């Protein structure tokens, strides 16, 4: 049995070319495994909670659920338009089963008590927060006081009591994992990057938000005043899609066991820490097997610049399919991009390749 998953795109914009490439790579692997006679579980879906989505919905005068439904439908279209693997599983983090699974995962981490106390605990904190990334930022990550990935967005200053995940406790276990499995992250320079990040020391990270300030999220078990922070809830999708925690048999068959990890995860380089450090520490905390391997790809740039709404250089894969057909789009993305480095594609270049 084989398990593979993409990251879940955040539904604050139409599908972009980088995600289309990620899902096509996964699709090729799924088909290769199936042709070899393996039973394949191929997962993708949409990440639908968090501050950015809530703010956008409020701005448009919409219910958050209606707002995310609109965008999730766009991502579901990719399955037909890119002719993806027919048995593809599509999970939404607003699915009732996923929400229950995320709460069970939280409970398991909270029950895991080390010398410093439980892995989930409450404390007051102050941070600078980039809503664009849905991540906190240290001063060393800022350029002229702003996030380098979202220079047009003001940072939010958060000062409140939240729940934290004891990430710091997992520095050595993570380093041991990387040492034991030198191909855990591919390519190797990305493994080196995450190893250096972990070696520098890990900070516990906030995993909840006050409901009165930001209500769009999964309720924290036993504390209705808080909702789960978007990253914590979203990462659990990789196992909730298998019917975890109820369907242990399906989980072990596809995700694997401690002795035989089986899960292959694909992601972009902006997801490296979340997939290969945060998520792995969370799995360890919940007493679950780690992933087997994480494949990290570069960005698709356009004319030497990162694709962004503000620059108006985003290429929508659905538009390309409309113009050139599915096979041409699959061919260009798989043939004319680098497996691991950034790749540049403009509308003109795509036209020439075609």
């Amino acid at each position: 049995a084989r398990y593979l998953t993409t990251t879940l795109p955040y539904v604050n914009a139409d599908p972009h070319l980088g995600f289309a490439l990620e899902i096509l790579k996964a699709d090729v692997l799924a088909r290769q495994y199936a042709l070899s006679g393996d039973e394949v579980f191929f997962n993708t879906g949409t990440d639908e909670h968090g501050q950015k989505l809530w703010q956008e919905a409020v701005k448009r005068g919409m219910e958050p659920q209606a707002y995310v439904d609109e965008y999730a439908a766009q991502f579901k279209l990719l399955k037909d338009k890119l002719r993806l693997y027919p048995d593809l599983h599509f999970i939404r983090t607003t699915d009732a089963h996923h929400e229950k699974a995320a709460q069970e995962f939280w409970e398991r981490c909270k029950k895991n008590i080390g010398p410093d106390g439980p892995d989930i605990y409450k404390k007051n904190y102050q941070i600078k927060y980039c809503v664009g990334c849905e991540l906190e930022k240290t001063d060393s990550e800022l350029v002229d006081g702003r996030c380098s990935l979202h220079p047009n967005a003001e940072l939010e200053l958060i000062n409140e009591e939240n729940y934290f995940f004891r990430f710091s406790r997992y520095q050595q276990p993570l380093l041991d994992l990387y040492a034991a499995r030198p191909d855990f992250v591919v390519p190797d320079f990305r493994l080196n990057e995450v190893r250096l990040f972990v070696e520098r020391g890990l900070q516990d990270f906030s995993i909840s938000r006050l409901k009165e300030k930001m209500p769009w999220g999964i309720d924290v078990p036993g504390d209705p005043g808080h909702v789960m922070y978007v990253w914590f809830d979203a990462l659990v999708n990789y196992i909730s899609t298998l019917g975890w925690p109820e369907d242990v048999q399906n989980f072990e068959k596809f995700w694997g066991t401690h002795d035989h990890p089986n899960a292959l995860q694909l992601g972009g380089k902006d997801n490296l820490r979340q997939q290969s450090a945060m998520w792995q520490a969370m799995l360890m905390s919940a007493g679950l097997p780690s992933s087997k391997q994480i494949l990290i790809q570069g960005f698709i740039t356009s004319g030497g610049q990162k694709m962004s709404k503000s620059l108006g250089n985003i290429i929508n894969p659905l538009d390309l399919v409309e113009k050139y057909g599915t096979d041409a789009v699959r061919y260009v993305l798989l043939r004319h991009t680098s497996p691991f480095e950034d790749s540049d594609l403009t509308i003109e270049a795509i036209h020439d390749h075609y």
Side-chain angles (χ1 to χ4, degrees):
R2 300 273 196 165
Y3 172 97
L4 71 160
T5 182
T6 66
T7 50
L8 294 196
Y10 201 49
V11 291
N12 64 317
D14 292 332
H16 63 78
L17 219 50
F19 180 68
L21 175 61
E22 184 179 316
I23 204 164
L24 281 178
K25 287 179 175 178
D27 183 65
V28 169
L29 286 169
R31 289 168 184 279
Q32 182 192 330
Y33 296 150
L35 286 168
S36 311
D38 286 322
E39 196 181 340
V40 178
F41 194 105
F42 176 12
N43 178 58
T44 190
T46 42
D47 176 1
E48 302 184 14
H49 289 120
Q51 191 168 346
K52 186 162 34 172
L53 301 182
W54 182 64
Q55 286 178 348
E56 282 298 319
V58 168
K59 205 185 291 179
R60 289 209 208 169
M62 293 174 78
E63 282 297 317
Q65 188 65 55
Y67 176 79
V68 298
D69 285 350
E70 200 177 282
Y71 275 116
Q74 290 286 311
F75 284 91
K76 274 198 162 162
L77 269 180
L78 288 177
K79 182 176 176 180
D80 295 331
K81 297 290 187 184
L82 294 175
R83 282 211 297 279
L84 299 173
Y85 189 69
D87 294 336
L88 179 66
H89 286 252
F90 192 96
I91 187 170
R92 298 178 58 183
T93 59
T94 50
D95 293 344
H97 176 265
H98 169 76
E99 296 197 350
K100 285 199 183 72
Q103 289 173 324
E104 171 63 20
F105 194 97
W106 177 289
E107 294 278 29
R108 292 192 187 195
C109 293
K110 195 175 176 186
K111 282 178 190 152
N112 193 17
I113 297 173
D116 305 334
D119 278 358
I120 291 181
Y121 65 95
K122 232 176 182 179
K123 77 167 182 182
N124 208 71
Y125 82 128
Q126 294 172 307
I127 54 150
K128 292 171 180 164
Y129 187 75
C130 171
V131 176
C133 296
E134 294 278 13
L135 285 171
E136 55 191 76
K137 296 287 168 177
T138 59
D139 287 339
S140 62
E141 292 175 286
L142 303 179
V143 179
D144 298 327
R146 296 197 168 205
C147 168
S148 58
L149 295 174
H150 300 93
N152 300 333
E154 289 279 339
L155 289 173
E156 296 216 352
L157 297 174
I158 294 179
N159 181 7
E160 61 188 44
E161 188 179 49
N162 286 161
Y163 285 93
F164 273 71
F165 176 71
R166 207 177 292 278
F167 197 28
S168 54
R169 187 178 163 197
Y170 291 93
Q171 180 179 9
Q172 200 51 52
L174 286 169
L175 293 173
D176 292 346
L177 172 68
Y178 306 152
R181 293 174 26 209
D183 62 348
F184 180 65
V185 179
V186 176
D188 54 5
F189 63 85
R190 294 288 177 217
L191 180 66
N192 291 337
E193 192 182 317
V194 77
R195 186 192 286 117
L196 285 171
F197 165 70
V198 174
E199 280 174 353
R200 285 196 293 268
L202 299 174
Q203 301 295 316
D204 296 352
F205 58 89
S206 160
I207 56 168
S208 79
R209 292 287 178 266
L210 278 175
K211 200 173 193 173
E212 64 191 46
K213 290 189 186 175
M214 205 291 292
W216 184 237
I218 297 174
D219 285 348
V220 165
D223 191 343
H226 286 257
V227 295
M228 286 184 202
Y229 167 57
V230 58
W231 276 104
F232 192 90
D233 125 48
L235 290 165
V236 178
N237 93 83
Y238 302 130
I239 60 175
S240 69
T241 189
L242 290 165
W244 183 90
E246 303 85 7
D247 195 341
V248 175
Q249 193 179 353
N250 206 44
F251 173 76
E252 290 186 349
K253 177 181 178 180
F254 289 106
W255 187 264
T257 59
H258 288 287
D259 296 333
H260 295 101
N262 194 43
L264 178 65
Q265 297 189 218
L266 286 83
K269 65 180 185 181
D270 54 340
N271 246 285
L272 175 66
R273 285 181 195 180
Q274 290 90 319
Q275 306 303 322
S276 50
M278 289 161 75
W279 172 230
Q280 303 309 317
M282 286 163 59
L283 284 165
M284 290 170 182
S285 174
L288 297 170
S290 63
S291 309
K292 180 182 183 181
Q293 195 172 45
I294 294 167
L295 302 182
I296 297 287
Q297 68 179 26
F299 288 149
I300 295 184
T301 54
S302 190
Q305 292 180 294
K306 188 171 187 275
M307 288 192 189
S308 76
K309 268 189 194 167
S310 52
L311 291 171
N313 63 352
I314 287 179
I315 302 173
N316 184 326
L318 297 172
D319 296 343
L320 289 181
V321 169
E322 228 26 61
K323 187 169 182 185
Y324 297 110
T326 302
D327 284 344
V329 174
R330 287 179 67 106
Y331 166 76
V332 168
L333 283 174
L334 291 163
R335 167 69 180 81
H336 291 285
T337 57
S338 158
F340 303 126
E341 304 285 357
D342 288 357
S343 306
D344 201 80
L345 281 178
T346 58
I347 291 285
E348 295 74 28
I350 291 167
H351 188 82
D352 291 346
H353 293 320
Y354 175 74

